[in-house]
Amino acid sequence: MAYRNDQRLPLDESGVGSGPVLRLSVNPRARRLSVRIDARAGEAVVIAPTERGLIQAVAFARTKAVWISQRLAVRPKGRPLEPGQVISLRGRPVRLEAVPGAGAARLVEEGAVIRSGGEGEAYARRVENLLKREARDTLLERTDHHLRALGQKPVKMSIADTRSRWGSCSPHNRTIRYSWRVIMAPPPVIDYLAAHEVAHLVHADHSPAYWSVVERLVGDHKPWRKWLKDYGGALHAVGR
Protein backbone atom coordinates (compact mmCIF):
# COMPACT_ATOMS: atom_id res chain seq x y z
CA MET A 1 0.00 0.00 0.00
CA ALA A 2 1.28 3.48 -0.87
CA TYR A 3 0.84 6.38 1.50
CA ARG A 4 1.04 10.12 0.83
CA ASN A 5 2.03 13.22 2.71
CA ASP A 6 -0.66 14.66 5.03
CA GLN A 7 -2.80 11.52 4.78
CA ARG A 8 -4.65 10.46 7.92
CA LEU A 9 -5.03 6.85 9.02
CA PRO A 10 -6.52 5.11 12.06
CA LEU A 11 -3.94 3.95 14.58
CA ASP A 12 -5.79 0.65 14.72
CA GLU A 13 -4.84 -1.21 11.54
CA SER A 14 -8.31 -2.77 11.35
CA GLY A 15 -9.80 0.71 10.92
CA VAL A 16 -12.63 -0.18 13.30
CA GLY A 17 -13.89 2.39 15.78
CA SER A 18 -13.00 6.03 16.39
CA GLY A 19 -9.65 5.70 18.10
CA PRO A 20 -6.45 7.73 17.72
CA VAL A 21 -5.47 9.05 14.29
CA LEU A 22 -2.08 8.99 12.56
CA ARG A 23 -1.18 11.98 10.40
CA LEU A 24 1.53 11.22 7.85
CA SER A 25 4.23 13.79 7.25
CA VAL A 26 7.13 13.80 4.78
CA ASN A 27 10.10 15.87 5.91
CA PRO A 28 13.18 15.62 3.65
CA ARG A 29 15.31 16.94 6.52
CA ALA A 30 14.33 14.08 8.84
CA ARG A 31 17.25 11.80 9.60
CA ARG A 32 15.10 8.86 10.71
CA LEU A 33 11.53 7.64 11.12
CA SER A 34 9.80 9.19 14.11
CA VAL A 35 6.47 9.68 15.84
CA ARG A 36 5.43 12.75 17.81
CA ILE A 37 2.22 13.78 19.52
CA ASP A 38 0.32 16.80 18.22
CA ALA A 39 -1.51 17.66 21.44
CA ARG A 40 -3.51 20.48 19.91
CA ALA A 41 -4.87 18.41 17.02
CA GLY A 42 -5.20 15.24 19.10
CA GLU A 43 -3.19 13.20 16.59
CA ALA A 44 0.04 11.27 16.35
CA VAL A 45 2.29 12.60 13.57
CA VAL A 46 4.29 9.97 11.69
CA ILE A 47 7.40 11.43 10.04
CA ALA A 48 9.55 9.98 7.27
CA PRO A 49 12.16 11.51 4.94
CA THR A 50 10.28 10.33 1.82
CA GLU A 51 6.81 9.15 0.85
CA ARG A 52 8.23 5.71 0.19
CA GLY A 53 9.44 5.64 3.78
CA LEU A 54 5.92 6.24 5.10
CA ILE A 55 5.09 2.53 4.78
CA GLN A 56 7.80 1.63 7.27
CA ALA A 57 6.96 4.66 9.42
CA VAL A 58 3.30 3.66 9.75
CA ALA A 59 4.31 0.13 10.72
CA PHE A 60 6.69 1.56 13.31
CA ALA A 61 3.98 3.85 14.73
CA ARG A 62 1.56 0.97 15.12
CA THR A 63 4.11 -0.86 17.29
CA LYS A 64 3.87 2.21 19.56
CA ALA A 65 0.06 2.08 19.76
CA VAL A 66 -0.12 1.81 23.55
CA TRP A 67 2.30 4.72 24.07
CA ILE A 68 0.46 6.86 21.52
CA SER A 69 -2.93 6.16 23.10
CA GLN A 70 -1.61 6.98 26.57
CA ARG A 71 -0.03 10.26 25.47
CA LEU A 72 -3.17 11.39 23.65
CA ALA A 73 -5.36 10.46 26.61
CA VAL A 74 -3.52 12.85 28.94
CA ARG A 75 -3.10 15.78 26.56
CA PRO A 76 -4.14 19.15 28.06
CA LYS A 77 -7.75 20.17 27.59
CA GLY A 78 -8.69 23.50 26.08
CA ARG A 79 -8.55 26.66 28.22
CA PRO A 80 -10.77 29.47 26.90
CA LEU A 81 -9.60 33.08 26.89
CA GLU A 82 -12.29 34.52 29.13
CA PRO A 83 -12.52 36.79 32.16
CA GLY A 84 -11.29 35.09 35.32
CA GLN A 85 -8.85 32.85 33.45
CA VAL A 86 -5.19 32.92 34.46
CA ILE A 87 -2.71 32.47 31.62
CA SER A 88 1.03 32.91 31.34
CA LEU A 89 2.94 35.75 29.70
CA ARG A 90 6.71 35.31 29.46
CA GLY A 91 6.43 32.65 32.13
CA ARG A 92 4.54 34.83 34.61
CA PRO A 93 0.87 34.39 35.59
CA VAL A 94 -1.50 37.00 34.18
CA ARG A 95 -5.17 37.31 35.11
CA LEU A 96 -7.77 38.15 32.47
CA GLU A 97 -10.34 40.80 33.39
CA ALA A 98 -13.27 42.35 31.51
CA VAL A 99 -14.12 46.03 31.29
CA PRO A 100 -17.25 47.66 29.79
CA GLY A 101 -17.20 48.62 26.14
CA ALA A 102 -15.27 47.31 23.17
CA GLY A 103 -11.80 48.60 23.96
CA ALA A 104 -8.66 46.70 22.93
CA ALA A 105 -6.91 44.44 25.43
CA ARG A 106 -4.11 46.06 27.41
CA LEU A 107 -1.62 45.10 30.09
CA VAL A 108 -2.11 46.81 33.45
CA GLU A 109 -0.88 46.48 37.03
CA GLU A 110 2.73 46.05 35.93
CA GLY A 111 1.84 43.29 33.50
CA ALA A 112 -0.01 41.13 36.02
CA VAL A 113 -3.46 41.74 34.48
CA ILE A 114 -4.89 41.91 30.97
CA ARG A 115 -8.06 44.00 30.73
CA SER A 116 -10.20 44.00 27.64
CA GLY A 117 -13.59 44.99 26.38
CA GLY A 118 -15.88 42.81 24.35
CA GLU A 119 -17.77 39.64 25.17
CA GLY A 120 -17.39 36.00 24.19
CA GLU A 121 -15.42 35.53 20.98
CA ALA A 122 -14.80 39.28 20.66
CA TYR A 123 -13.18 39.34 24.09
CA ALA A 124 -11.01 36.31 23.30
CA ARG A 125 -9.96 37.80 19.96
CA ARG A 126 -8.82 41.05 21.62
CA VAL A 127 -6.76 39.17 24.20
CA GLU A 128 -5.21 36.96 21.52
CA ASN A 129 -4.33 40.01 19.44
CA LEU A 130 -2.49 41.50 22.42
CA LEU A 131 -0.56 38.27 22.91
CA LYS A 132 0.36 38.25 19.23
CA ARG A 133 1.66 41.82 19.46
CA GLU A 134 3.74 40.92 22.49
CA ALA A 135 5.08 37.87 20.67
CA ARG A 136 5.98 39.86 17.57
CA ASP A 137 7.86 42.52 19.54
CA THR A 138 9.80 40.03 21.65
CA LEU A 139 10.63 37.59 18.86
CA LEU A 140 11.66 40.37 16.52
CA GLU A 141 14.11 41.68 19.13
CA ARG A 142 15.56 38.22 19.91
CA THR A 143 15.76 37.28 16.22
CA ASP A 144 17.66 40.47 15.41
CA HIS A 145 19.99 39.83 18.35
CA HIS A 146 20.93 36.36 17.09
CA LEU A 147 21.21 37.53 13.49
CA ARG A 148 23.77 40.12 14.58
CA ALA A 149 25.64 37.52 16.65
CA LEU A 150 26.07 35.36 13.54
CA GLY A 151 26.72 38.23 11.13
CA GLN A 152 23.53 37.42 9.24
CA LYS A 153 21.45 39.85 7.20
CA PRO A 154 17.86 40.66 8.23
CA VAL A 155 15.06 38.21 7.56
CA LYS A 156 11.33 38.49 7.00
CA MET A 157 9.61 37.41 10.22
CA SER A 158 5.96 36.47 10.69
CA ILE A 159 3.74 35.30 13.54
CA ALA A 160 1.28 32.44 13.06
CA ASP A 161 -0.77 29.92 15.03
CA THR A 162 0.70 26.64 13.85
CA ARG A 163 -0.82 23.39 15.04
CA SER A 164 2.29 22.01 16.70
CA ARG A 165 5.55 23.50 15.39
CA TRP A 166 6.99 26.40 17.34
CA GLY A 167 8.84 27.85 14.40
CA SER A 168 10.13 27.31 10.91
CA CYS A 169 12.91 28.80 8.81
CA SER A 170 13.26 28.93 5.02
CA PRO A 171 16.92 29.79 4.35
CA HIS A 172 16.44 30.12 0.58
CA ASN A 173 14.03 33.07 0.91
CA ARG A 174 15.21 34.16 4.37
CA THR A 175 11.90 33.91 6.17
CA ILE A 176 11.23 32.81 9.73
CA ARG A 177 7.81 32.05 11.15
CA TYR A 178 6.98 31.62 14.83
CA SER A 179 3.97 30.46 16.79
CA TRP A 180 2.72 33.39 18.88
CA ARG A 181 2.01 30.96 21.71
CA VAL A 182 5.66 30.81 22.72
CA ILE A 183 5.18 34.26 24.32
CA MET A 184 3.56 32.39 27.20
CA ALA A 185 6.83 30.52 27.87
CA PRO A 186 9.67 31.79 30.10
CA PRO A 187 12.14 34.21 28.43
CA PRO A 188 14.98 31.64 28.08
CA VAL A 189 12.62 29.37 26.12
CA ILE A 190 11.61 32.23 23.83
CA ASP A 191 15.25 33.12 23.31
CA TYR A 192 16.13 29.50 22.54
CA LEU A 193 13.39 29.30 19.91
CA ALA A 194 14.69 32.41 18.16
CA ALA A 195 18.23 31.00 18.22
CA HIS A 196 16.96 27.65 16.92
CA GLU A 197 15.39 29.22 13.84
CA VAL A 198 18.20 31.71 13.15
CA ALA A 199 20.75 28.87 13.31
CA HIS A 200 18.95 27.22 10.38
CA LEU A 201 20.21 30.07 8.20
CA VAL A 202 23.67 28.57 8.74
CA HIS A 203 22.73 24.87 8.67
CA ALA A 204 19.35 23.79 7.28
CA ASP A 205 19.50 20.42 9.04
CA HIS A 206 19.76 19.27 12.66
CA SER A 207 23.32 18.04 12.37
CA PRO A 208 25.92 18.33 15.16
CA ALA A 209 27.26 21.39 13.34
CA TYR A 210 23.80 22.97 13.54
CA TRP A 211 23.46 22.31 17.27
CA SER A 212 26.90 23.78 17.86
CA VAL A 213 25.62 27.05 16.36
CA VAL A 214 22.60 27.00 18.69
CA GLU A 215 24.90 26.35 21.65
CA ARG A 216 27.10 29.25 20.61
CA LEU A 217 24.04 31.51 20.75
CA VAL A 218 22.32 30.39 23.96
CA GLY A 219 24.62 27.92 25.72
CA ASP A 220 23.07 24.68 26.95
CA HIS A 221 19.82 24.47 25.00
CA LYS A 222 18.65 21.07 26.29
CA PRO A 223 16.61 22.43 29.26
CA TRP A 224 14.64 24.75 26.98
CA ARG A 225 13.99 22.04 24.40
CA LYS A 226 12.74 19.84 27.24
CA TRP A 227 10.53 22.64 28.56
CA LEU A 228 8.74 22.92 25.24
CA LYS A 229 8.34 19.17 25.07
CA ASP A 230 6.95 18.97 28.62
CA TYR A 231 4.75 22.08 28.71
CA GLY A 232 4.18 23.03 25.09
CA GLY A 233 0.93 21.09 24.92
CA ALA A 234 -0.56 23.27 27.64
CA LEU A 235 0.28 26.41 25.64
CA HIS A 236 -1.36 24.98 22.55
CA ALA A 237 -4.51 24.36 24.61
CA VAL A 238 -4.95 28.03 25.58
CA GLY A 239 -7.89 29.62 23.82
CA ARG A 240 -9.19 26.32 22.48
Side-chain angles (χ1 to χ4, degrees):
M1 175 184 294
Y3 297 124
R4 65 183 185 279
N5 185 46
D6 211 33
Q7 182 178 355
R8 284 170 170 78
L9 302 170
L11 176 61
D12 182 351
E13 191 170 4
S14 68
V16 178
S18 56
V21 171
L22 301 176
R23 185 172 84 242
L24 311 189
S25 175
V26 175
N27 182 355
R29 297 193 300 183
R31 299 169 68 88
R32 62 184 183 278
L33 306 179
S34 62
V35 180
R36 64 174 175 80
I37 302 300
D38 183 341
R40 178 178 164 188
E43 301 172 335
V45 183
V46 180
I47 303 166
T50 64
E51 283 201 345
R52 181 176 297 181
L54 287 173
I55 296 175
Q56 186 178 357
V58 169
F60 170 71
R62 283 173 170 158
T63 68
K64 302 284 187 180
V66 173
W67 176 81
I68 290 171
S69 297
Q70 290 174 341
R71 289 290 305 276
L72 288 172
V74 299
R75 75 185 190 276
K77 292 180 171 55
R79 299 168 55 202
L81 291 169
E82 59 186 12
Q85 178 68 263
V86 175
I87 63 172
S88 177
L89 179 61
R90 299 183 181 89
R92 297 177 55 195
V94 177
R95 187 175 72 256
L96 304 185
E97 295 182 354
V99 293
R106 64 190 188 278
L107 282 165
V108 297
E109 297 185 16
E110 297 184 349
V113 173
I114 293 176
R115 290 189 182 133
S116 177
E119 297 181 357
E121 291 184 4
Y123 177 90
R125 185 168 58 252
R126 287 172 170 80
V127 173
E128 183 175 315
N129 286 340
L130 181 146
L131 295 174
K132 288 178 178 178
R133 291 194 299 271
E134 293 291 319
R136 181 179 298 278
D137 291 346
T138 298
L139 287 164
L140 182 60
E141 189 275 326
R142 297 320 298 163
T143 298
D144 287 345
H145 172 84
H146 294 306
L147 287 170
R148 290 193 300 270
L150 295 179
Q152 289 283 329
K153 296 178 181 178
V155 298
K156 181 179 179 182
M157 193 197 84
S158 62
I159 299 295
D161 192 6
T162 52
R163 293 200 302 180
S164 59
R165 297 180 68 181
W166 292 106
S168 61
C169 175
S170 298
H172 65 283
N173 58 12
R174 301 190 66 79
T175 61
I176 292 178
R177 184 171 70 160
Y178 297 107
S179 168
W180 66 263
R181 294 172 177 274
V182 77
I183 196 60
M184 294 183 276
V189 177
I190 301 171
D191 192 42
Y192 156 70
L193 177 63
H196 183 113
E197 300 308 332
V198 169
H200 277 310
L201 297 170
V202 181
H203 297 285
D205 53 19
H206 287 100
S207 64
Y210 162 81
W211 288 113
S212 70
V213 174
V214 177
E215 187 170 355
R216 190 195 324 166
L217 293 172
V218 295
D220 184 6
H221 48 79
K222 294 183 181 66
W224 317 130
R225 292 172 62 192
K226 185 176 187 303
W227 194 97
L228 284 174
K229 181 178 179 181
D230 292 344
Y231 301 106
L235 304 190
H236 280 298
V238 172
R240 303 298 171 192

